[in-house]
Amino acid sequence: MTNSTLDATVVSVIIPAYNSEKTIKETIKSVLNQTFTIFELIIINDGSQDSTLDVITQIQDSRIKVFSYPNAGGNVSRNRGLHHAVGEFVSFLDADDLWTPDKLQSQLNSLQENVTAKVAYSWTDYINANSKFILSGKRINVNGNIYENLLLSNFLENGSNPLICRKALITLGGFDESLTAAQDWDMWLRLASKFDFICVPSVQILYRISSNSVSCNLVRQEKSCLQVLEKAYKERTSLGDATQRTLKNSWNISLANLYKYLTCKALQKPFNQKKCLASGRFLWKYFLNDPSRLQNINFTLKVLLKIIIILTLPTLYYSITKRREVRSQEPETLLNILVA
């Protein structure tokens, strides 16, 4: 039974939406189809210029609350949604991603069973524009103090993942509005520095890969991720919680993981010379920072060969990948090399 009264609202779901007319309906339905029903769904219309608002208003459900603002970006929209939220717990969902029906219930159960934890996270799979499965995400299961693990790589993978105690978010002042990307990783790190996490070892987030997503702006992604890492490591240094040698090794691993991700991201379709050149630069930085570069030399050489072929023989590469797609019935993915 749906209970939408303010004092009974347990979870606040926040969806920032900007020009999301193609996906917002499916995203909303994935929330309304949750087995856990005592929630409010706050949609922040971030100055959309398309029919996003019209699509939203056609969906009738008393739990939906829509607020429209001038365009300000996803991190500002998340903070605006947090300002309106009344639930004990909060979860954010991008306007093109989906949840499995048991997402909220499973994460809420985990938090209620582990009272010291303030954040519950699950696993992610990747889907395409047609909501078809592309590949599996990371399957990392760590609990309690996960800060060191999260510093090496953002294994929560996206901003549509965790369920968080609202008071914890408010204590930290919400998302960093100065960041143009990677604001979710920054927030997860800040939460992990103060609170315990609990993992729900199940795929419950379906992250949509699209060429116009924020994460596809590689230069912006690189700059913001470096900002996040530099701030986190600066805080670690000031706290004196590790030796310089340990910090240096950890820093190199963080950079290697970041540039490995960016390399594979740059090799996502559609291919072009600019992205290939960027992938070459990212691969070089990955190689320089990887403490296990010699053990991982096969990966480096394979990616380098792929870059060279795309740059010099793009027609041949398209032909090869097309035959592979037909044979496997699965599309080429941005993380195919990384996952392998």
Side-chain angles (χ1 to χ4, degrees), residues 107-304:
Q107 291 183 340
L108 182 62
N109 289 346
S110 293
L111 289 175
Q112 291 175 336
E113 293 167 4
N114 300 271
V115 293
T116 60
K118 301 302 178 186
V119 183
Y121 70 96
S122 306
W123 292 341
T124 296
D125 274 350
Y126 292 81
I127 58 175
N128 62 15
N130 299 316
S131 302
K132 301 298 183 182
F133 171 83
I134 296 179
L135 79 159
S136 300
K138 298 176 182 179
R139 300 289 190 261
I140 294 178
N141 183 355
V142 290
N143 300 292
N145 183 355
I146 71 164
Y147 184 78
E148 296 297 329
N149 305 77
L150 193 58
L151 194 59
L152 298 181
S153 70
N154 180 15
F155 57 85
L156 271 66
E157 301 193 61
N158 56 78
S160 299
N161 189 334
L163 180 67
I164 310 162
C165 176
R166 181 166 62 93
K167 289 182 179 179
L169 285 166
I170 294 173
T171 298
L172 295 175
F175 289 84
D176 186 345
E177 297 182 2
S178 69
L179 292 170
T180 56
Q183 53 264 34
D184 56 337
W185 190 15
D186 173 73
M187 173 54 77
W188 311 157
L189 279 169
R190 288 193 284 136
L191 285 165
S193 70
K194 296 184 179 298
F195 306 106
D196 286 348
F197 281 49
I198 187 73
C199 176
V200 177
S202 178
V203 174
Q204 296 182 322
I205 294 87
L206 304 178
Y207 181 85
R208 194 183 305 274
I209 296 174
S210 61
S211 59
N212 61 354
S213 66
V214 171
S215 61
C216 286
N217 188 322
L218 298 174
V219 174
R220 180 169 57 183
Q221 188 80 356
E222 178 189 17
K223 180 180 178 181
S224 295
C225 286
L226 288 175
Q227 282 182 258
V228 169
L229 285 175
E230 287 168 358
K231 182 175 71 171
Y233 275 96
K234 185 177 180 180
E235 291 176 357
R236 286 191 68 193
T237 303
S238 65
L239 293 173
D241 61 348
T243 66
Q244 288 299 317
R245 183 175 180 180
T246 301
L247 281 171
K248 176 64 176 175
N249 186 62
S250 179
W251 170 256
N252 286 341
I253 294 173
S254 294
L255 287 181
N257 288 335
L258 169 62
Y259 282 109
K260 188 176 186 181
Y261 166 78
L262 289 173
T263 299
C264 297
K265 187 75 174 176
L267 292 174
Q268 178 188 4
K269 289 182 179 180
F271 305 121
N272 59 56
Q273 187 179 46
K274 183 178 179 181
K275 287 173 63 179
C276 279
L277 292 174
S279 68
R281 180 172 68 85
F282 295 147
L283 181 64
W284 175 243
K285 290 191 175 184
Y286 157 73
F287 181 78
L288 289 179
N289 287 285
D290 184 14
S292 305
R293 64 178 66 89
L294 296 181
Q295 293 94 314
N296 297 329
I297 192 65
N298 285 340
F299 167 83
T300 303
L301 293 176
K302 287 178 181 178
V303 177
L304 180 61

